[in-house]
Amino acid sequence: MRLLTASILSLTLPVIHASLNATALTNQYFGNDAPWYLSRIPLFESSSSLLTDVYYYRWSIFRSHQRDLGSRGYISTEFLNDVGWQTNPWASLNDATGFHLLEGRWCRDRRFKEDYADFIFSAESNTRQFSETMAASVWAGYEVDGSEADVVKRLDEMMGVFDAWMDSYDSNQSLYWVEPLRDATEYTISSIDASGGLDGFTGGNAFRPSINSFQYANAKAISDIAALKGNMDGTVDTYSAKASSLKETVQSSLWNTTFAHFIDRFQVNNTYVRYGTPIRGRELVGYVPWTHDLPDDSTEYAEAWTHILNASELAGPHGLRTNEPSYEYYMRQYRYEGTAPECQWNGPVWPFQTTQVLTGLANFLDHYPVGASRDLITKADYIRLLEQYAQLHYNPSRAGILDIEEDYYPDTGSPIVGLKRSPHYFHSGYIDVILSGLVGIRPSASDVLEVNPLADASMMTYFRADSILYHGHTIAVQWDATGTRYGTQGLQVEIDGVTAATSPTLTRLTVPISRVAPPALQRRLAKSIQLNATTPYPIGSVSAPNASSLDAIHAAIDGRVFFFPEPDVANGWDTPVSTTNTTTTTPDGGSEFWFAIDFGAPTLVSSAELAFFLDLNQGFDVPVKYSVQVVQGEGSEEWVDVDEAVYGEVVGNGITHVSWKASSVGKIRVVFELREGVRARLVEMKIF
Ligand SMILES: *[C@@H]1O[C@H](CO)[C@@H](O)[C@H](O)[C@H]1NC(C)=O
Ligand SMILES: *[C@@H]1O[C@H](CO)[C@@H](O)[C@H](O)[C@H]1NC(C)=O
Ligand SMILES: *[C@@H]1O[C@H](CO)[C@@H](O)[C@H](O)[C@H]1NC(C)=O
Ligand SMILES: *[C@@H]1O[C@H](CO)[C@@H](O)[C@H](O)[C@H]1NC(C)=O
Ligand SMILES: *[C@@H]1O[C@H](CO)[C@@H](O)[C@H](O)[C@H]1NC(C)=O
Ligand SMILES: *[C@@H]1O[C@H](CO)[C@@H](O)[C@H](O)[C@H]1NC(C)=O
Ligand SMILES: *[C@@H]1O[C@H](CO)[C@@H](O)[C@H](O)[C@H]1NC(C)=O
Ligand SMILES: *[C@@H]1O[C@H](CO)[C@@H](O)[C@H](O)[C@H]1NC(C)=O
């Protein structure tokens, strides 16, 4: 790899820093919930308002999928709602964990990815539910935060998960195989063809580019972490040899010269398909080797990138197809939930794989040697594909509404599945694509900060990303084609507010960067979290229960906080409509309501975070007044106001804070009053 040397600015040049305004941007994009984001997210803006708006939406996806497990900290969820195949009682699924961690590596608050990494490598998670890149993604987090102590501590667990995949390793092929369903990609060519074209939900075990690239990346990460830890027991060499072997075999066995693409070979051997033979078409999964930077930079492999530009192959008009129209069963719908088409990977656009392709393309464009083949695909193509992906976040039939769902029709860009579980689905990445691809921060373990924007000057007149925490420093990258946006023409990299490298053009810049310990983690633990509706304590109760309250009461103490308006993802407990008619005879009448938590044992408490939903169109308003009461003594049932309470202003779609003099209590409740004719939805009541 040839690196262009940065010109280091001398002190005599003017230093102009156009820092983005965190207060203004977080208010604009997150309203009353802005305080959650204010000091946690890196800021970004660009001459593409599409890319910018989706960037902030994707931070709301990240925040909304943080599930607080109380003493176990936070995990990321994939669906906002519970689904039947999640690992209980956490609601975890590990197929998209790699994306969750790669988005989380840019969060200035490391707690989320660190808590999550602790969880996914613990005995409580289901490490083998799906094929995964957990070790590789934890390493990728270290490349951003630079915190050695955090990355080395889970090495043994990582090796344990890696080695467990030996149950899917074929020593004759020197390759791993996987059932497409376990790859989270049901109905691929291998599973459909292994069923004789009849189905394809299950079955179709194949030596796939996915699992083998994942294990390549995991092996490299384990080797690198062992090296960091100073392991002299051979772990470094053992795992780097495993990575080399996989690289070699993926290239020699899964590359198909007829298709100029990495494709599956069948592991299954039945009436329809033969062990070891290649599948009969190209799939988007063939780019996953580049997602993990596996292939050599050869002209032969580079040829694969033409297929996502060809409208007869993988380039759908509204997104990248998962396989090609020439495949016999392209877009044939096999599976339904009621009358709604279910998830399939035989053609639909999937943000999951689009993310993998964009990451792979960024790796390719970043260091593929300049030469004839380079023009096969360009930075302009990258920007166009990135914008096409961003556009998918807008459902064509809901103008202006941001909502990422499972999969999409390549011809229209409309979502396919549209079930109650579908809105705001966290099964892909975007923030990482923007920051490591477009903006071009190429995270690494070395003490050199490398920035290589994949922007094309003809398509991007300006962008700026700042407040990014990298190896303990705050860095910024800015591009201004003319100098009219930020007052300085060209590309510049800033470290801790000082210009460190510049170039008049969009090119690679490298600059030495020291390593500073990142800020210490703050871990405030909520005491109010109920993992599922049937766990004993803490338990919730309400002033106006009805037959269907149980799940709603649980939802208000389940550790999930989000405020999306779609009724399908309603989250929390709803009061009845408030009435001040004192002659009303209904039992839940009135305008005063309460939500209580019984801890089951004396519990020291001193503050609360109340999350109220606000949507007047749906009849939800916030309380006009509220107070916090507790039951103190053993055996007492008397509710008393907390002492020395400081009540924050009530906000809707954000957090209302209350604190008081710490005391040991058995029960706690919030009592609140509503104006007439509205309901309240208590999204979450967290007690600390
Ligand atoms: C940032 O935005 C806030 C809110 O819009 C404003 O009050 C403040 O003056 C701005 N700060 C700067 C430095 O422009
Ligand atoms: C709820 O949690 C309890 C305790 O962890 C567990 O035994 C039970 O299986 C869980 N139920 C569901 C539906 O997750
Ligand atoms: C490898 O090939 C040998 C000989 O054909 C066979 O006996 C063995 O079962 C194969 N192993 C696997 C894992 O398929
Ligand atoms: C696959 O099945 C065919 C037909 O049953 C059999 O002849 C062949 O040996 C099998 N191959 C392997 C590798 O099991
Ligand atoms: C590539 O795959 C196709 C479809 O399975 C197959 O016909 C062809 O022989 C393969 N090409 C090579 C060189 O193996
Ligand atoms: C586009 O794809 C079709 C179908 O595979 C192929 O015939 C055609 O040659 C491709 N066009 C280019 C420019 O590669
Ligand atoms: C029952 O209570 C839930 C909230 O707990 C509420 O959403 C629902 O509207 C109530 N049902 C009736 C019939 O009042
Ligand atoms: C008050 O409630 C009673 C009983 O439901 C009803 O008959 C009466 O019309 C209500 N009054 C008003 C002003 O809504």
Side-chain angles (χ1 to χ4, degrees), residues 390-516:
Q391 190 62 46
L392 276 186
H393 292 70
Y394 289 99
N395 181 336
S397 64
R398 296 174 70 201
I401 307 287
L402 280 158
D403 175 22
I404 187 78
E405 301 202 350
E406 285 112 324
D407 61 340
Y408 293 84
Y409 292 104
D411 291 345
T412 62
S414 293
I416 295 179
V417 174
L419 293 169
K420 275 176 86 80
R421 65 169 198 236
S422 301
H424 310 294
Y425 186 44
F426 194 14
H427 189 240
S428 57
Y430 180 86
I431 292 156
D432 186 56
V433 172
I434 291 287
L435 294 176
S436 69
L438 171 73
V439 173
I441 301 163
R442 311 290 304 168
S444 85
S446 85
D447 291 337
V448 176
L449 169 62
E450 191 177 331
V451 176
N452 185 25
L454 294 181
D456 178 270
S458 68
M459 297 175 81
M460 275 284 147
T461 53
Y462 67 86
F463 67 77
R464 181 177 168 91
D466 71 23
S467 306
I468 301 161
L469 206 49
Y470 185 85
H471 291 199
H473 295 275
T474 296
I475 66 166
V477 180
Q478 173 180 300
W479 162 247
D480 188 345
T482 60
T484 52
R485 179 74 185 181
Y486 304 118
T488 312
Q489 190 281 328
L491 177 67
Q492 78 182 31
V493 174
E494 299 158 24
I495 301 176
D496 297 327
V498 176
T499 304
T502 66
S503 163
T505 58
L506 282 164
T507 187
R508 187 190 310 275
L509 292 174
T510 59
V511 49
I513 189 163
S514 64
R515 194 175 299 244
V516 175

Side-chain angles (χ1 to χ4, degrees), residues 308 310-311 313-321 330 349 384 388 410-411:
I308 50 165
N310 186 329
E313 298 178 341
L314 294 168
H318 288 268
L320 297 174
R321 302 179 177 113
Y330 171 74
V349 181
R384 191 181 50 73
Q388 186 186 56
D411 291 345

Side-chain angles (χ1 to χ4, degrees), residues 78 95 99 180-181 183-189 191-192 200-201 208 282-285 321-324 327 329-334 342-354 356 406-407 416 425 427:
E78 177 177 323
D95 52 315
F99 298 126
L181 178 60
D183 235 354
T185 62
E186 56 274 28
Y187 297 96
T188 61
I189 293 178
S191 64
I192 295 173
F201 180 54
R208 309 197 77 206
R282 285 186 204 97
E283 297 185 316
L284 208 53
V285 73
R321 302 179 177 113
T322 41
N323 60 37
E324 299 186 350
Y327 175 52
Y329 302 113
Y330 171 74
M331 293 301 284
R332 175 176 295 189
Q333 192 65 40
Y334 288 94
E342 258 288 5
C343 296
Q344 298 189 178
W345 295 70
N346 56 338
V349 181
W350 276 88
F352 182 105
Q353 262 176 11
T354 306
Q356 291 173 323
E406 285 112 324
D407 61 340
I416 295 179
Y425 186 44
H427 189 240

